[in-house]
Amino acid sequence: MDSRPLRRGLMVDQAGAVLIGDYRYNRGEDRGREVRDAVSVHRSTDPLSGVWETAYRFEPGSVRHVHALHQDPCQAGRSWLCTGDMDDESRIYSSDDGYRTLQVFAEAGQISRATDLIFTDDHLYWGVDSPLREPGIVRKARNGGQIEHLAYTLAPVYFGARNEANHFFFSTSVEPGPAVTSSHAEIVASTDGEHFASVASWRSDITPQQAQIHFPCGVAPEDLVVFYCRATLFWENSMVVARLCP
């Protein structure tokens, strides 16, 4: 494979196979004259053997990045895939056959540009990963309907997490773009899945890395949240275990 997966671009399916999505080199936001190479999802039952098959191949020129692969925790046999970055590339798909076929779930330009998903029985939540236009937190009902805007943020939203107390957390990343109006990476949180507010922020440092807060996969126990910081001054690479204060 001649590309790298994004942090949520790897998944283990119910049969134990490993799936990895291509993430091609990103040459910046204005890529109108760039030739888009073919992007695929790769599958292996034995990754150390070096034997991989193509689970799904996008048409050449259609997308550049697979942002995320997710096994649905609420619906057996269903998986999800997010792509980006430009308006015509930014979609969220579902699949019920291991990515052999994809169905478009959300196709709304930058609003459906996502790098992580949070699942409930009724909705999919995601953060808008756009430095170009109106980053924030949105959700869409599983049975369709309109995308609901729940909160706007000052920078693109990368990662999401939940805990056993059913608290929602999303984090932002400081990167160049007209919609990025803060020098701080933030955590925005909700106790009810309806109302979100900033609960913590860390200033970006002077390195060329994008400042961001990363949530590991999985569900944190009780009312805890686990995260680590990148390119945030003295918090660099610190792992934090915390809980929301009343």
Side-chain angles (χ1 to χ4, degrees):
M1 289 175 282
D2 60 350
S3 59
R4 60 182 174 86
L6 203 61
R7 290 179 187 269
R8 295 290 195 251
L10 183 148
M11 188 189 86
V12 179
D13 68 14
Q14 292 177 329
V18 176
L19 294 106
I20 295 177
D22 283 330
Y23 186 93
R24 299 287 178 184
Y25 174 61
N26 191 334
R27 297 175 176 88
E29 294 296 338
D30 184 10
R31 300 180 290 266
R33 289 179 289 180
E34 178 190 340
V35 176
R36 301 177 186 174
D37 297 326
V39 167
S40 299
V41 176
H42 309 274
R43 182 180 186 275
S44 178
T45 57
D46 184 8
L48 294 180
S49 70
V51 177
W52 294 81
E53 63 181 16
T54 300
Y56 188 86
R57 179 181 174 87
F58 288 92
E59 290 294 325
S62 59
V63 300
R64 242 177 319 264
H65 307 315
V66 174
H67 281 167
L69 301 174
H70 289 281
Q71 194 83 4
D72 194 321
C74 303
Q75 187 170 345
R78 175 158 291 185
S79 51
W80 296 84
L81 184 150
C82 304
T83 60
D85 276 337
M86 304 309 290
D87 285 1
D88 63 318
E89 302 174 276
S90 298
R91 302 183 187 93
I92 299 173
Y93 299 88
S94 66
S95 177
D96 295 323
D97 56 10
Y99 297 120
R100 285 189 291 273
T101 60
L102 301 179
Q103 296 79 45
V104 176
F105 175 76
E107 187 177 23
Q110 296 295 289
I111 296 173
S112 50
R113 179 175 168 177
T115 59
D116 207 354
L117 300 173
I118 293 181
F119 302 90
T120 68
D121 290 337
D122 300 321
H123 292 89
L124 264 66
Y125 289 75
W126 67 89
V128 177
D129 164 36
S130 177
L132 302 176
R133 186 168 63 252
E134 295 181 349
I137 313 300
V138 300
R139 72 178 180 185
K140 183 177 179 178
R142 285 178 175 268
N143 59 5
Q146 299 296 312
I147 296 174
E148 300 177 70
H149 284 265
L150 301 174
Y152 288 100
T153 57
L154 303 178
V157 180
Y158 268 38
F159 299 114
R162 288 174 75 192
N163 58 24
E164 290 179 341
N166 206 30
H167 298 158
F168 292 72
F169 301 90
F170 286 96
S171 62
T172 67
S173 176
V174 179
E175 60 179 284
V180 183
T181 59
S182 174
S183 61
H184 287 65
E186 290 188 297
I187 292 178
V188 292
S190 173
T191 58
D192 60 7
E194 300 278 347
H195 306 92
F196 285 82
S198 176
V199 296
S201 69
W202 292 265
R203 185 177 178 180
S204 176
D205 65 24
I206 61 174
T207 66
Q209 294 188 81
Q210 297 173 5
Q212 63 182 228
I213 312 301
H214 180 265
F215 297 113
C217 289
V219 177
E222 302 175 353
D223 62 348
L224 300 176
V225 59
V226 179
F227 59 92
Y228 71 80
C229 306
R230 189 181 91 169
T232 51
L233 294 175
F234 304 111
W235 290 80
E236 172 68 22
N237 285 330
S238 298
M239 189 187 78
V240 181
V241 180
R243 57 168 48 98
L244 284 177
C245 295

